[in-house]
Amino acid sequence: MADAVRIEFKGPGMDAQLYDQVNERVNPPGSPPEGLIFHSAGPSPDGGWRIVDVWDSRATFDRFFQEKVQPTVVDLVGEEAVAQGEPPEVTSWTVHNYNTGPAA
């Protein structure tokens, strides 16, 4: 059963520019990470940056985030900046229904 995951980056650390740099490295066009079903991202209405994904499992997401995303962010902004920032809030839930809509 698939899991939806919402990642909420609060505060000034994550923005469109940093997101684009990270995403280019960890989720390049035409080569999504194994287990990723759906990905979306944009500014949060509360400030900060929000990502909503659907993964084949929460465990797959957790492994990807720990092994790919976090090291990439550290590489781009430095370990000290990451340590000083607020960690993202991650929420997940089991997907009951997933509809991709009509084919284009």
Side-chain angles (χ1 to χ4, degrees), residues 10-47:
K10 298 180 180 189
M14 182 64 73
D15 58 15
Q17 182 180 1
L18 179 56
Y19 164 80
D20 288 342
Q21 291 174 356
V22 172
N23 197 55
E24 183 178 297
R25 292 186 186 189
V26 303
N27 185 19
S31 184
E34 185 177 334
L36 178 63
I37 298 169
F38 172 82
H39 175 78
S40 64
S44 172
D46 303 321

Side-chain angles (χ1 to χ4, degrees), residues 8-80:
E8 195 79 34
F9 292 91
K10 298 180 180 189
M14 182 64 73
D15 58 15
Q17 182 180 1
L18 179 56
Y19 164 80
D20 288 342
Q21 291 174 356
V22 172
N23 197 55
E24 183 178 297
R25 292 186 186 189
V26 303
N27 185 19
S31 184
E34 185 177 334
L36 178 63
I37 298 169
F38 172 82
H39 175 78
S40 64
S44 172
D46 303 321
W49 197 255
R50 179 179 288 168
I51 297 171
V52 177
D53 288 349
V54 176
W55 288 81
D56 63 0
S57 73
R58 173 66 192 257
T60 302
F61 162 78
D62 287 340
R63 187 170 45 256
F64 169 76
F65 196 78
Q66 182 179 27
E67 294 176 2
K68 302 290 185 185
V69 175
Q70 289 176 327
T72 300
V73 172
V74 168
D75 186 47
L76 290 168
V77 302
E79 199 162 331
E80 186 174 314

